[in-house]
Structure formats: C-alpha cells, structure tokens
Amino acid sequence: MKEPINRSFHIGGSIEKALKGEVELQPVTVLAEAWKITGKNIFSFLPAVICLFLAQVALLLLGLEVQLGSPTVFFDAFITGQGFTAEILKAGFMANFWSDVLIAPLYVGVSLMALNHAVGLPSKPSQIVKGFSFTLVSLITMLLLSSIQGLGSSVFPLIGLFLTMALSMAILLVCEKKVSPIKAIQYSFMATIRKVLPMTAIYIVIMLMFFISIATAGIGLIWTLPFFFNVKGIIYRNMFGVTLQVTSVAKSDDEQPPQDGGETPVDKIDKDVFNA
C-alpha cells in the first residue's frame, strides 16, 4: 500500500475578493440553493440543529433560574405584562447574552456542518462535536459579537439587527480561516458592507420565515433553522471561499481491482477531512 496523497481544493471566493466586493451574491440563487440542500440533508442535519436549540434553551432557563429564582417569573411577567420591572428585563437580557456565548462550540459545529453542505459534502449528527476543538476561540469570538450586538441594540434596535447580519460570518472565519476574532469581525463587517443590499434581502426573507415559523406554534422551525444555517454556509462559501483537504490512497502494484464494480483504493477519498 502506498502512502496517502493529500490534496487541497479551494471553492468559492476569498478574503481579498470579499473585501473588494468582487463576489457573486444573488439572493434568489442563494435562497434556492439553500432550500435544495436543506431538503437533501434534513434528516442528518436536523438532529444536530435540535440539539443546539435545546442546549440554548436550557442555558437560557438556567440563567433565569440563577438570577430570578425561577424562569416562570420572567415568562409570567412577559406574557401578562404585569410586574415587568427593569430587574426582570435585565435578567432576561443577561440570560440570553450568556446562553449565546456559552453555546458557541455547538454553534460552530452546526455551522461547519452547513459549510459541508455548501460544498457538496454530506454531514452526520455526530459532527456537531467538531466545534469543541474551537472551544476557547469560539467563546471569545461569541463574547465579542454578543457584546457588540448588545451595544448596538441599546442605541437603536435596527443597529443591533444590522450588526447581527454584518458580523454573521465572523465565527466561521475564525474556525475555517484561522484568523483572530478581531480580524474575523473586521472582515465580516467589511464584506457585508460591500454586499449590503443582497445580504439585507436574504436576511429579510429569513426573518419572515422565522415569523411564520413562530406563528405555526414553532413547527416551522423544523425547516427554518436548518435552512438558516445552510444559507449562512452558502454566503460564506461565495464570499470567503472554503478550503477542502482530501486524502486519496493509491493502490500498490500487487493489489487487484475489485470484482464487484466497487471503488478501487485510488478512488477512495476521505470526505470527512474538511479542514475547518
């Protein structure tokens, strides 16, 4: 058996092109492709997305429990509108803030799975744990992102929404391109500014889908959440590009080709070596 052969392939844009705005980002094309790959990967992707959702809800409830003694204090005040004090509002904000930060490793795992879909590779639910190899840097990045978005929202809610969109690629830049959190935030913001109109159009559609999903008692989230991550994966691919590392094993001289028409050793490519 000969030594494995490692090769790298680059798909999509690049940091340089993204910062110059020299990338293709057509809202209809992006949304149509995301719809297609969501349908193709829904059964393998949905368990990981549900795991992420439940983990974040658990962290949110824990945060409310620690601050208010019981999460029901917050939800009762929110639903009835009575007794909704500044203290309860602050507790809700802090619980949401820290749940966003602490969920970062799982969020990265799901995002990398979506990036696999964007380059035509399959995923499996267990890949959600890949985010744990980026635990420290993902926590730092998410802490910065949540802080910036929170400051923007405190000034004006629309500013917070814009920053959420403009900084949405930062977490993937940190993990896939191995850049620092500060650089990732800078790159994501500048690339979004160059493509602000198509990005806004895409995110408006996603927001409408979330509203519709909530109106259906949350049932629509089964599709909308995976779709959202796949959209982000496609946007990232188009803007910054994705580097794939594949490993092929050439057959030795004394190996015989298979008799059943299957793959020869030289044809076997490890598709689970995506270098993000």
Side-chain angles (χ1 to χ4, degrees):
M1 179 70 68
K2 295 183 180 180
E3 291 295 323
I5 301 172
N6 294 316
R7 292 176 292 177
S8 294
F9 299 91
H10 188 81
I11 301 174
S14 67
I15 291 177
E16 294 75 17
K17 289 181 179 180
L19 295 180
K20 295 177 182 178
E22 298 174 352
V23 294
E24 286 293 327
L25 196 66
Q26 301 295 329
V28 174
T29 303
V30 170
L31 293 169
E33 183 181 357
W35 191 274
K36 181 178 179 180
I37 64 176
T38 299
K40 181 180 179 181
N41 298 282
I42 188 68
F43 294 111
S44 61
F45 195 32
L46 185 59
V49 174
I50 292 175
C51 178
L52 172 67
F53 177 76
L54 293 178
Q56 184 152 20
V57 170
L59 286 172
L60 179 65
L61 295 177
L62 179 61
L64 293 173
E65 178 83 24
V66 170
Q67 296 177 89
L68 300 175
S70 173
T72 57
V73 174
F74 176 85
F75 292 112
D76 287 345
F78 181 80
I79 293 172
T80 63
Q82 299 177 355
F84 203 74
T85 63
E87 180 185 358
I88 293 178
L89 181 62
K90 180 181 178 182
F93 173 80
M94 293 303 297
N96 183 68
F97 176 87
W98 286 110
S99 67
D100 283 343
V101 173
L102 296 177
I103 206 67
L106 290 178
Y107 187 90
V108 169
V110 172
S111 297
L112 291 178
M113 291 173 69
L115 210 51
N116 267 357
H117 303 158
V119 295
L121 297 180
S123 65
K124 49 189 176 182
S126 61
Q127 289 176 329
I128 191 174
V129 300
K130 284 190 172 184
F132 285 103
S133 60
F134 303 99
T135 296
L136 181 58
V137 71
S138 67
L139 288 172
I140 293 172
T141 304
M142 197 64 79
L143 180 61
L144 291 172
L145 293 176
S146 297
S147 299
I148 294 171
Q149 292 160 9
L151 287 173
S153 296
S154 66
V155 175
F156 191 67
L158 285 179
I159 295 178
L161 288 174
F162 172 75
L163 289 173
T164 299
M165 176 185 74
L167 305 180
S168 59
M169 299 293 108
I171 195 75
L172 278 172
L173 280 166
V174 166
C175 300
E176 199 268 332
K177 294 289 188 284
K178 308 296 192 298
V179 300
S180 70
I182 298 297
K183 282 289 187 183
I185 289 171
Q186 177 187 348
Y187 293 156
S188 181
F189 185 84
M190 295 304 298
T192 299
I193 292 295
R194 297 288 186 270
K195 292 292 180 180
V196 66
L197 292 181
M199 283 284 286
T200 301
I202 291 169
Y203 270 77
I204 286 175
V205 172
I206 291 174
M207 287 179 63
L208 290 174
M209 290 181 65
F210 272 107
F211 284 133
I212 294 171
S213 297
I214 294 171
T216 61
I219 296 175
L221 292 175
I222 292 174
W223 180 270
T224 301
L225 283 172
F227 177 79
F228 167 67
F229 281 99
N230 285 326
V231 167
K232 288 182 63 177
I234 293 168
I235 293 173
Y236 181 90
R237 180 203 65 198
N238 288 2
M239 279 190 168
F240 301 103
V242 180
T243 301
L244 295 172
Q245 182 179 345
V246 298
T247 302
S248 59
V249 181
K251 67 177 182 178
S252 60
D253 295 337
D254 58 348
E255 286 180 335
Q256 298 297 321
Q259 301 299 318
D260 58 357
E263 290 183 324
T264 63
V266 72
D267 294 324
K268 293 181 180 178
I269 298 178
D270 182 3
K271 294 183 179 180
D272 196 26
V273 289
F274 171 46
N275 81 339

